[in-house]
Amino acid sequence: MILNGILICAIVVSFVWYFYFKTKQLRTNLPIRKKWFAARASVCLGAFMFFFGINFLVVYQSSVTYAVTGLFVLLGGYFMYHNYRASKHYGQFVQEELTLNQ
């Protein structure tokens, strides 16, 4: 029961952060910053999928659930890993882009 509550909080927080970064991405005009915010939003989307899969596994337990949660956990983990690396890559150039465009 407590684990379910923690996972629900993690799901809500990751979705709120996804929405925040997606909004920041749409509002900026600088191309590198736009890619950086998109990568950060995708990390949060991956976290949402990861926590949702684990929560689904905790709540329901059947053979179909194992396949669905395995897919969610693997895709969420991949999104988090790949986009975290992309975020680090674009993060190097954000300050440089800002100084060049002032």
Side-chain angles (χ1 to χ4, degrees), residues 38-43 78-88:
R40 291 179 69 131
S42 294
V43 168
Y78 173 74
F79 281 168
M80 284 191 300
Y81 173 74
H82 176 71
N83 289 304
Y84 174 73
R85 290 181 50 108
S87 174
K88 278 181 56 176

Side-chain angles (χ1 to χ4, degrees), residues 2-102:
I2 293 174
L3 179 62
N4 189 25
I6 292 170
L7 289 171
I8 288 173
C9 287
I11 290 168
V12 170
V13 167
S14 63
F15 183 74
V16 168
W17 278 106
Y18 168 76
F19 186 71
Y20 172 76
F21 286 126
K22 206 52 146 166
T23 305
K24 295 286 275 184
Q25 175 194 356
L26 294 174
R27 294 189 63 166
T28 188
N29 294 328
L30 303 174
I32 298 293
R33 187 166 287 219
K34 194 174 279 274
K35 289 180 182 180
W36 184 56
F37 282 133
R40 291 179 69 131
S42 294
V43 168
C44 295
L45 181 63
F48 172 79
M49 290 177 64
F50 183 81
F51 292 131
F52 186 81
I54 293 175
N55 188 41
F56 200 67
L57 182 62
V58 168
V59 174
Y60 304 106
Q61 294 186 356
S62 70
S63 58
V64 174
T65 304
Y66 294 132
V68 172
T69 57
L71 183 66
F72 270 56
V73 168
L74 288 176
L75 278 176
Y78 173 74
F79 281 168
M80 284 191 300
Y81 173 74
H82 176 71
N83 289 304
Y84 174 73
R85 290 181 50 108
S87 174
K88 278 181 56 176
H89 173 72
Y90 292 127
Q92 300 171 13
F93 305 110
V94 169
Q95 187 62 36
E96 180 181 346
E97 180 185 50
L98 189 61
T99 57
L100 289 174
N101 288 314
Q102 284 185 355

